[in-house]
Amino acid sequence: MERTPSASHITRRTLLRALAVVGLAGVSGPLLGPDAVPAQGNLGALQPEEKVEATMKRLFGSRPLKDGSSAIKLDMPLIAENGAVVPVTVEVQSPMTPADYVKHIYIISDKNRRPMNAKFTLTAAMGTALVGANLRLGETTDVRAVAELSDGTLLMAKREVKVTVGGCGG
Amino acid sequence: MAEIGKVRIRVPSSIKQGDVVRVRALVIHPMEIVQRRDGKPVDKNYHFIHKVVVTYNGREILAAETTQSVSENPFFAFTFRATEPGTLKIAFLDTHGGKYEGTVDIKFS
């Protein structure tokens, strides 16, 4: 009989303490958890590994891709001896006025594990729709350039590059 | 590695007002690629440039999202219309929070 009140007293205190701990954890958990916000270089934040068809579907859905081989100049070597550095320049014929310009240029290489390579967001202030970059190509592959115009039209051009030595670290 | 983030920008030596100027930019960066162990990609915070932003007198004229499929020491080329004298700034942002900037003064001759 002597212990009953003290036992109930402890229970109440423990309960309150437990509630307080749960409350704190609930607040601090998402803020302080080390894995709560994955860093931008972690696998989850990278472009997914997929086939190029899946990339095209993910980026453009079922929107029609027009043949842009006359409007897009895809400048890159026919044979790249070293896949680690393949210079690619994409130039799209466009007046580049605020009313009619190229909004995005995507560079996609079919056989890379992560086919989506680079996405450029352009503005009319650029004067011409020209972007260039050095790519890493794992093996002989088609490289596609997709241009999204300001009216939503999608144009695509592609060309094959022969790669003698792959550039994705084996 | 001490050179990480060194930015070099080249523009033509003589620019006239209204010209469309071709710019070439290079940044020293490892652009770390995905490592694999037993065929499985290793999950860690890879060190590579994921964003490039070009501004001309404070206005953004070009942005790029880049991946590890861009080569080590990335090189970019683009053009812009030189409408007024000022500063062209290129900022490279990497996945470890690094921000590397290069600027070039645009003057007319």
Side-chain angles (χ1 to χ4, degrees):
Chain A
M1 282 302 281
E2 246 177 51
R3 294 181 70 99
T4 317
S6 86
S8 80
H9 177 74
I10 285 166
T11 310
R12 191 172 63 98
R13 180 149 295 177
T14 330
L15 183 72
L16 283 173
R17 209 172 273 157
L19 277 175
V21 167
V22 167
L24 271 179
V27 171
S28 65
L31 293 177
L32 302 176
D35 297 322
V37 183
Q40 279 158 311
N42 279 31
L43 281 183
L46 302 185
Q47 292 291 324
E49 276 184 38
E50 59 194 0
K51 292 260 176 277
V52 67
E53 290 79 19
T55 310
M56 301 301 281
K57 200 155 181 222
R58 185 166 55 83
L59 293 174
F60 310 115
S62 54
R63 292 161 67 192
L65 277 163
K66 287 191 193 151
D67 175 28
S69 48
S70 56
I72 300 176
K73 206 173 115 202
L74 196 55
D75 193 10
M76 56 189 180
L78 283 168
I79 299 172
E81 281 185 20
N82 180 4
V85 183
V86 184
V88 174
T89 309
V90 181
E91 186 172 5
V92 185
Q93 298 295 328
S94 164
M96 290 305 267
T97 57
D100 180 9
Y101 65 102
V102 179
K103 214 166 25 172
H104 298 296
I105 292 178
Y106 299 81
I107 299 178
I108 295 162
S109 51
D110 285 25
K111 293 217 180 115
N112 274 15
R113 275 195 225 262
R114 301 167 200 273
M116 162 67 187
N117 291 168
K119 175 189 175 187
F120 296 90
T121 304
L122 292 77
T123 58
M126 289 180 66
T128 59
L130 179 145
V131 288
N134 284 351
L135 295 185
R136 273 186 182 128
L137 299 175
E139 54 185 304
T140 297
T141 175
D142 276 349
V143 173
R144 308 175 187 221
V146 178
E148 183 177 349
L149 308 187
S150 51
D151 62 3
T153 314
L154 292 169
L155 298 173
M156 183 174 82
K158 66 174 170 181
R159 234 198 56 203
E160 192 188 51
V161 184
K162 287 204 185 337
V163 176
T164 321
V165 181
C168 288
Chain B
M1 295 301 249
E3 283 205 310
I4 278 192
K6 208 169 158 190
V7 181
R8 259 176 280 168
I9 305 174
R10 287 186 73 90
V11 292
S13 51
S14 123
I15 300 171
K16 289 189 188 66
Q17 187 152 20
D19 275 3
V20 171
V21 179
R22 191 157 173 169
V23 183
R24 293 179 295 157
L26 180 97
V27 57
I28 304 296
H29 201 281
M31 295 298 275
E32 190 181 12
I33 57 175
V34 172
Q35 294 165 13
R36 281 172 189 270
R37 200 162 291 142
D38 307 325
K40 282 237 163 69
V42 179
D43 194 8
K44 60 172 226 173
N45 190 5
Y46 291 103
H47 193 199
F48 67 97
I49 289 169
H50 64 104
K51 204 162 171 49
V52 183
V53 180
V54 181
T55 49
Y56 175 41
N57 284 341
R59 269 173 300 135
E60 187 174 317
I61 59 167
L62 172 69
E65 285 166 38
T66 54
T67 65
Q68 290 146 311
S69 292
V70 172
S71 66
E72 190 177 336
N73 302 338
F75 161 87
F76 297 98
F78 59 91
T79 61
F80 76 101
R81 195 181 294 280
T83 48
E84 55 202 278
T87 316
L88 184 78
K89 186 166 94 176
I90 308 180
F92 299 91
L93 290 96
D94 76 18
T95 49
H96 284 198
K99 188 175 183 189
Y100 315 112
E101 288 179 342
T103 56
V104 59
D105 285 329
I106 304 297
K107 289 189 291 262
F108 299 126
S109 51

